[in-house]
């Protein structure tokens, strides 16, 4: 079995976000980057499946040279080899095209990725890749088990869970609690230095969308304290100021 895990290179969730060039570019100054948290769940489950089934595990990222430390971390966690598509991830369709091109060339049985990246939160890539490859795509997957060519999954839906079965090949967008995040040990970190990392030029160029500007959310307002016995005032504030009633 061949497993491909697609990971994103995103700012740490504690990073202070700023923009430059009239709010058209993300300011990377002083920002630490990590594997996308949802991608981390996908990678953790893939490592478990690799150990259970004797599968090969490849990680892929669409990004420039600065993303290679993120790929090396994925190798330290348990991936066998890595592929970096040498291009800035311009938009979801551009990224999906790159992933689909690699998948067509290598014939992966299972493609895992996070349900969405935490920078743009698009949640579209897995569905696009599935359409391009003509195979099922399921998201958000909370549980995934493989029995032969059959895949049993649990998916989160509004108000509950949905249980599905499909056959390989398959794409899954993952989220917690599909697996627990894995921390690389010293042996993994050392071995990651010599594992193959292949750099491939993009199969298509350009993007169908363009960012015109970014905008930070409004600053949080001051906190108002209401006496526990003053229910009328609490209701007034919730209705007239918070506008949640």
């Amino acid at each position: 079995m061949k497993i491909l895990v697609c990971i994103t290179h995103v700012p740490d969730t504690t990073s202070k976000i700023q923009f430059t060039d009239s709010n058209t570019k993300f300011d990377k100054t002083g920002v630490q980057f990590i594997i996308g948290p949802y991608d981390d769940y996908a990678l953790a489950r893939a490592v478990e499946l690799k150990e259970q089934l004797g599968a090969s595990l490849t990680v892929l990222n669409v990004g420039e040279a600065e993303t290679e430390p993120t790929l090396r971390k994925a190798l330290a966690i348990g991936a066998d080899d890595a592929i970096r598509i040498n291009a800035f991830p311009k938009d979801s369709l551009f990224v999906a095209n790159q992933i689909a091109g690699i998948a067509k060339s290598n014939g992966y049985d299972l493609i895992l990725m996070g349900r969405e990246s935490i920078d743009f939160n698009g949640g579209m890539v897995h569905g696009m890749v599935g359409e391009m490859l003509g195979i099922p795509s399921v998201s958000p997957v909370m549980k995934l088990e493989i029995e032969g060519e059959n895949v049993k999954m649990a998916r989160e839906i509004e108000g509950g869970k949905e249980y599905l079965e499909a056959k390989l090949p398959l794409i899954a967008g993952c989220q917690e609690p599909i697996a627990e995040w894995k921390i690389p040990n010293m042996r993994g970190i050392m071995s990651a230095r010599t594992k193959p990392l292949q750099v491939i030029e993009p199969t298509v160029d350009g993007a169908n969308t363009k960012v015109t500007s970014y905008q930070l959310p409004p600053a949080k307002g001051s906190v108002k304290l209401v006496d526990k016995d003053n229910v009328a005032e609490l209701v007034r504030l919730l209705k007239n100021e918070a506008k949640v009633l």
Side-chain angles (χ1 to χ4, degrees), residues 163-186:
Y163 296 90
L164 307 96
E165 291 189 20
K167 289 188 176 296
L168 297 172
L170 172 80
I171 300 172
C174 305
Q175 70 167 48
E176 74 284 355
I178 194 168
E180 292 186 5
W181 286 342
K182 298 187 182 300
I183 300 173
N185 55 33
M186 184 55 65

Side-chain angles (χ1 to χ4, degrees), residues 18-43:
Q18 299 290 341
F19 302 105
T20 61
D21 294 352
S22 301
N23 292 330
T24 59
K25 292 183 180 180
F26 172 60
D27 185 0
K28 300 178 182 178
T29 306
V31 174
Q32 180 179 353
F33 285 81
I34 59 172
I35 298 173
Y38 292 118
D39 305 324
D40 242 339
Y41 287 116
L43 178 59

Side-chain angles (χ1 to χ4, degrees), residues 103-120:
K104 287 176 182 177
S105 300
N106 293 279
Y108 297 102
D109 301 289
L110 179 65
I111 301 174
L112 301 181
M113 57 186 79
R115 62 175 290 179
E116 62 186 9
S117 64
I118 64 164
D119 47 6
F120 291 99

Side-chain angles (χ1 to χ4, degrees), residues 132-146:
M132 292 172 184
L133 298 178
I135 62 175
S137 174
V138 182
S139 181
V141 176
M142 306 169 63
K143 183 179 180 181
L144 187 148
E145 301 289 345
I146 296 178

Side-chain angles (χ1 to χ4, degrees), residues 57-197:
L57 173 54
T58 300
V59 288
L60 179 148
N61 169 256
V62 179
E64 297 169 316
E66 63 189 12
T67 71
E68 290 194 7
T70 300
L71 282 166
R72 290 291 177 194
K73 181 180 179 182
L75 291 170
I77 288 172
D80 299 311
D81 62 288
I83 298 172
R84 179 174 68 82
I85 305 299
N86 188 31
F88 179 78
K90 300 178 179 71
D91 64 12
S92 296
L93 182 59
F94 177 82
V95 171
N97 270 311
Q98 309 311 314
I99 295 172
I102 295 296
K104 287 176 182 177
S105 300
N106 293 279
Y108 297 102
D109 301 289
L110 179 65
I111 301 174
L112 301 181
M113 57 186 79
R115 62 175 290 179
E116 62 186 9
S117 64
I118 64 164
D119 47 6
F120 291 99
N121 301 97
M124 297 184 287
V125 172
H126 35 72
M128 290 179 175
V129 176
E131 179 67 20
M132 292 172 184
L133 298 178
I135 62 175
S137 174
V138 182
S139 181
V141 176
M142 306 169 63
K143 183 179 180 181
L144 187 148
E145 301 289 345
I146 296 178
E147 298 176 1
E149 293 186 356
N150 297 316
V151 185
K152 295 183 178 181
M153 294 164 285
R155 186 170 77 96
E156 185 177 43
I157 59 174
E158 186 175 355
K161 294 180 182 178
E162 181 180 50
Y163 296 90
L164 307 96
E165 291 189 20
K167 289 188 176 296
L168 297 172
L170 172 80
I171 300 172
C174 305
Q175 70 167 48
E176 74 284 355
I178 194 168
E180 292 186 5
W181 286 342
K182 298 187 182 300
I183 300 173
N185 55 33
M186 184 55 65
R187 181 179 179 182
I189 294 170
M190 296 299 291
S191 66
R193 297 177 180 178
T194 57
K195 288 182 178 179
L197 195 163

